[in-house]
Amino acid sequence: MVVPLALVASPTSLLKRLLVGRPFRSDRLQHTLLPKRIALPVFASDALSSVAYAPDEILLTLSIAGASAFLFSPWIALAVVVVMLTVVASYRQNVHAYPSGGGDYEVATVNLGPRAGLAVASALLVDYVLTVAVSVSSGVANLGSVVPFVATHKVLIAVSAVVLLTAMNLRGLRESGTAFAIPTYGFVIVIGGMILTGLVRYFVLGDDLRAPSAGLEIQAEHSVTGFALVFLLLRTFSSGCAALTGVEAISNGVPAFKAPKSRNAATTLLLLGSISVAMLVGIIWLARLTGLQFVEDPRTQILSGPDGYVQKTVTAQLGETVFGGGSVLLYVVAGMTALILFLAANTAFNGFPVLGSILAQDRYLPRQLHTRGDRLAFSNGIVFLAVFAIVLIVGFQAEVTRLIQLYIVGVFVSFTLSQAGMIRHWNRHLRTERDPEARRRMFRSRAINAFGMAMTGTVLVIVLLTKFLLGAWIAIAAMAVIYLLMLAIRRHYDRIAAELEPTEVRGVLPARNHAIVLVSKLHQPTLRAIAYARATRPDTLTAVTVNVDEKDTRQLQQEWERRELPVPLTVVDSPYREITRPILNFVANTRRESPRDVVTVFIPEYVVGHWWENLLHNQSALRLKGRLLFEPGVMVTSVPWQLASTATKNLDRLDETLSRTPARGPRVAPRSTLPPPVPPVVVPTPPAEPDQSSGDRP
């Protein structure tokens, strides 16, 4: 017969189930794998959404040289497209060669060594955090273009968006992908429809499309000619390369694809590149046709703007130009752009925890990051990412232009090292491969990766030269700190593993086991601890109390003799009314007589049901356990006594088998077998210096 248990869920548990959902069994893991139609919005939303802020960065950087510099925007966009197509082609080789999900980290580690792998990992971790901060901040900026309330509360809105994304991802990968598929595809359709509508109106219908900012008079911040112009174009190009962020996420997320994993990942990568290129080129082209202008500092650069002019984002201006100001479609464009930018952070929420889990498995990060949560997601990694992203958003006040300066350094570090690793990968395989067809494929793949390394390495140098003083140094410093921290964590784990490695010499058994039961007063927890200690059958057994109050100690001795307990009671004097130091000295003296002996200390403890009860009980017990754990040859055993308040604790995680297994009572020796009572012994101790650990008695 099964006896039902009345379960009372705590408020914390109810809130967790409301936000995260019911836990999944481990065998449900294969059901979280993604088809291509879901994997595209999950892993590619970052790269797809970058077309919402990459054109802004291109135009505002060119505005430093005045309105005439906008003529260079199509050429800058074309250069970015060449780099993007090269990176997509290169990473298609990566996902086939390394489908395990390590991505750039695995490629660099296997082919270039652990230090190069750590450099890639630190760069990617920083880049993932910046992806969340930049994407969410840009989403707030786009939404604020049509909703003034959002513009005035952008930090609060951005932080709320990160919290919401965190809760959605904690519910599990498949639910996140399904929730993000419709907005991602909606953004592609809306932006594509806006571009096509604008081009048809301009070339077919002959409409005179003029952006709201087309007639503004723009003042150049500096006179840019010669080398300064070249430097400005390089800086503009490096800002536009923000459109490439997120491409590497697919190579990190190959295990999340349905079989055949590598082929599906490569196909998704090709779709990502094609759609991103089409939208980026379309937006820049339409911006030039409509005379759109976007500046770095509207207050100083715009000379003839209307009163109260507020600069809108590029996509918002194009939506107003194509569909008309105040139209429903304008709000649809702004809303979908903001939504996809919020959801673009989901790429990092899927990539960061997976990479963190791999690093934790390799002992470069805390092992907690390798653990899956109730919904089979890497919950700890998701929470870590959210916290760091919120810190950046608050610290930089959700300003995209300030955050973008920290961006893309990490991703191009990983791009370059990954392609260098792939070249060594193909060289190693070419030394052993004899099949002519396979060798031709390897030569082609190596050529693609070599060209990719040259392109991404060049971009990395340009980014470092043009953005270092503008904020890129912060990202570089963060990468260095994370790199050194991971090395320190690995050294710690290696040192512990070496220390715990079993030796060939068989362990020497202890000569004797001395049991000590700590006593403050004679109550049920003490009696249970004595009974349990006797059940372990030690060589010697004594109860120890500390004489802090003479009256209480005499009452304890009298009660002990009255009950005729078969265990001697030892009273340790404490002239300075402290608890911890006298017990530590007593234990040390007990073991000093024979170093091969083991001392087992039994500590009776209350188990309470409310957090505030912990403040009223067990302070000295916790203190004693903490000190005794550092004593060699000493074992510490807690003997719990559950108070009545524990009956209301949440039992959700109690194994069902426990409810149908009869509980066993304590094993008590027959009265006739008990040894005769032993009179109490008083052990005087010399006065010691006062210890700061005096407090409640156990």
Side-chain angles (χ1 to χ4, degrees):
M1 182 179 68
V2 178
V3 180
L5 292 177
L7 302 181
V8 180
S10 66
T12 304
S13 177
L14 290 175
L15 180 61
K16 180 180 179 181
R17 291 293 159 253
L18 179 64
L19 296 177
V20 179
R22 298 177 60 187
F24 284 157
R25 290 168 54 92
S26 296
D27 55 14
R28 284 283 306 274
L29 182 59
Q30 66 271 19
H31 297 294
T32 65
L33 299 180
L34 306 175
K36 292 190 293 294
R37 67 181 185 278
I38 301 298
L40 179 63
V42 168
F43 292 107
S45 56
D46 177 23
L48 291 175
S49 68
S50 62
V51 299
Y53 54 80
D56 297 42
E57 296 303 315
I58 291 175
L59 295 178
L60 71 83
T61 306
L62 288 174
S63 72
I64 296 174
S68 60
F70 291 140
L71 294 173
F72 293 103
S73 60
W75 300 104
I76 298 295
L78 182 60
V80 173
V81 165
V82 172
V83 177
M84 178 178 291
L85 293 177
T86 302
V87 170
V88 168
S90 300
Y91 271 84
R92 281 172 58 85
Q93 317 306 315
N94 290 35
V95 297
H96 285 298
Y98 294 91
S100 60
D104 295 340
Y105 167 69
E106 182 180 4
V107 173
T109 301
V110 171
N111 298 287
L112 302 178
R115 295 300 176 92
L118 277 188
V120 169
S122 60
L124 286 176
L125 291 175
V126 172
D127 191 71
Y128 280 136
V129 175
L130 284 167
T131 294
V132 177
V134 171
S135 297
V136 172
S137 298
S138 182
V140 171
N142 276 271
L143 191 59
S145 296
V146 294
V147 183
F149 174 82
V150 175
T152 56
H153 300 82
K154 57 184 179 181
V155 175
L156 176 62
I157 301 298
V159 171
S160 301
V162 173
V163 172
L164 179 61
L165 285 170
T166 303
M168 295 180 68
N169 278 273
L170 288 175
R171 295 188 67 89
L173 187 62
R174 168 169 285 273
E175 291 190 25
S176 295
T178 304
F180 297 159
I182 296 176
T184 303
Y185 287 125
F187 169 75
V188 173
I189 294 172
V190 167
I191 296 299
M194 181 187 70
I195 295 171
L196 289 176
T197 302
L199 295 177
V200 168
R201 289 188 59 188
Y202 188 89
F203 289 107
V204 178
L205 302 180
D207 294 343
D208 183 22
L209 297 180
R210 301 296 292 171
S213 58
L216 300 179
E217 183 181 352
I218 304 298
Q219 180 184 21
E221 290 187 5
H222 306 283
S223 178
V224 180
T225 58
F227 178 78
L229 178 60
V230 174
F231 186 83
L232 177 65
L233 294 178
L234 291 177
R235 178 183 164 187
T236 305
F237 169 70
S238 65
S239 297
C241 284
L244 277 74
T245 55
V247 174
E248 80 289 344
I250 291 180
S251 65
N252 294 336
V254 175
F257 284 79
K258 283 190 173 181
K261 297 178 182 293
S262 296
R263 185 192 305 171
N264 288 336
T267 303
T268 304
L269 195 56
L270 182 60
L271 290 172
L272 157 68
S274 302
I275 296 172
S276 296
V277 165
M279 290 196 297
L280 177 63
V281 172
I283 289 177
I284 292 294
W285 188 14
L286 193 58
R288 290 305 309 135
L289 293 176
T290 59
L292 187 146
Q293 299 183 116
F294 194 81
V295 300
E296 186 176 29
D297 189 358
R299 292 174 299 177
T300 60
Q301 290 184 262
I302 297 178
L303 300 179
S304 60
D307 294 337
Y309 175 76
V310 177
Q311 179 173 255
K312 298 181 180 179
T313 60
V314 171
T315 53
Q317 289 192 51
L318 290 178
E320 183 176 347
T321 304
V322 173
F323 299 120
S327 66
V328 175
L329 290 178
L330 169 61
Y331 287 94
V332 171
V333 170
M336 293 304 297
T337 303
L339 185 58
I340 187 61
L341 283 164
F342 290 149
L343 302 186
N346 185 63
T347 300
F349 273 105
N350 285 288
F352 182 97
V354 172
L355 178 60
S357 172
I358 295 172
L359 289 169
Q361 189 174 11
D362 291 345
R363 297 183 295 179
Y364 288 114
L365 287 179
R367 292 171 180 169
Q368 292 86 338
L369 293 177
H370 184 57
T371 305
R372 291 184 181 270
D374 289 350
R375 304 285 287 187
L376 300 180
F378 295 109
S379 305
N380 293 329
I382 292 172
V383 173
F384 269 101
L385 174 62
V387 170
F388 292 139
I390 289 174
V391 169
L392 277 179
I393 290 172
V394 175
F396 287 85
Q397 292 297 294
E399 291 288 346
V400 180
T401 303
R402 295 174 61 192
L403 287 168
I404 208 75
Q405 309 305 329
L406 284 65
Y407 211 16
I408 76 174
V409 177
V411 74
F412 275 95
V413 168
S414 63
F415 282 168
T416 305
L417 290 177
S418 173
Q419 300 315 304
M422 288 300 297
I423 293 173
R424 297 194 66 176
H425 167 82
W426 298 124
N427 288 339
R428 186 174 65 252
H429 282 274
L430 283 169
R431 285 195 293 266
T432 58
E433 183 60 54
R434 294 293 177 264
D435 181 62
E437 181 62 28
R439 288 180 64 85
R440 280 194 294 272
R441 290 196 301 268
M442 290 180 183
F443 276 119
R444 184 177 65 250
S445 298
R446 185 179 65 175
I448 293 174
N449 288 127
F451 185 69
M453 184 188 71
M455 292 291 293
T456 57
T458 302
V459 175
L460 177 60
V461 173
I462 293 173
V463 169
L464 292 176
L465 290 176
T466 59
K467 287 180 173 288
F468 185 82
L469 296 179
L470 298 176
W473 66 269
I474 299 177
I476 296 172
M479 294 175 204
V481 170
I482 293 175
Y483 178 87
L484 296 176
L485 181 62
M486 289 193 292
L487 283 179
I489 292 174
R490 177 59 186 262
R491 283 196 295 266
H492 170 78
Y493 281 136
D494 288 346
R495 183 175 67 252
I496 297 302
E499 188 175 340
L500 300 180
E501 184 70 22
T503 61
E504 297 297 330
V505 181
R506 298 181 61 182
V508 180
L509 295 177
R512 293 186 300 171
N513 178 22
H514 303 283
I516 298 174
V517 180
L518 301 185
V519 178
S520 61
K521 59 181 61 176
L522 198 55
H523 46 28
Q524 294 193 65
T526 299
L527 295 177
R528 171 178 285 185
I530 293 173
Y532 180 70
R534 296 184 64 233
T536 63
R537 306 185 188 282
D539 294 285
T540 64
L541 173 61
T542 183
V544 175
T545 187
V546 179
N547 183 16
V548 175
D549 185 278
E550 292 286 348
K551 180 180 179 181
D552 291 341
T553 302
R554 284 196 300 269
Q555 290 180 351
L556 176 62
Q557 290 176 308
Q558 294 171 2
E559 182 69 11
W560 201 274
E561 294 175 353
R562 188 183 68 80
R563 289 180 175 268
E564 299 182 348
L565 295 177
V567 176
L569 175 64
T570 301
V571 180
V572 180
D573 286 334
S574 179
Y576 293 100
R577 301 163 305 284
E578 51 185 333
I579 301 292
T580 306
R581 182 63 60 83
I583 291 178
L584 290 175
N585 291 337
F586 182 84
V587 171
N589 291 332
T590 302
R591 189 173 180 273
R592 189 178 296 119
E593 298 175 0
S594 177
R596 286 188 55 193
D597 290 357
V598 170
V599 177
T600 303
V601 181
F602 295 87
I603 303 178
E605 285 191 75
Y606 301 139
V607 179
V608 299
H610 304 100
W611 66 268
W612 53 267
E613 291 180 289
N614 284 311
L615 303 176
L616 307 177
H617 302 282
N618 292 333
Q619 301 306 307
S620 58
L622 291 174
R623 189 161 51 247
L624 276 169
K625 283 196 295 184
R627 295 289 293 271
L628 289 170
L629 288 175
F630 289 93
E631 295 292 331
V634 176
M635 311 300 169
V636 182
T637 301
S638 296
V639 183
W641 180 268
Q642 291 80 12
L643 297 177
S645 60
T646 60
T648 60
K649 293 297 290 181
N650 183 13
L651 303 178
D652 285 336
R653 299 191 179 277
L654 184 64
D655 193 340
E656 291 182 0
T657 57
L658 295 179
S659 64
R660 50 177 90 101
T661 302
R664 295 183 178 180
R667 185 176 63 178
V668 181
R671 181 70 178 178
S672 59
T673 63
L674 296 178
V678 181
V681 179
V682 178
V683 180
T685 58
E689 293 297 326
D691 185 50
Q692 299 298 325
S693 59
S694 61
D696 298 337
R697 307 178 73 181

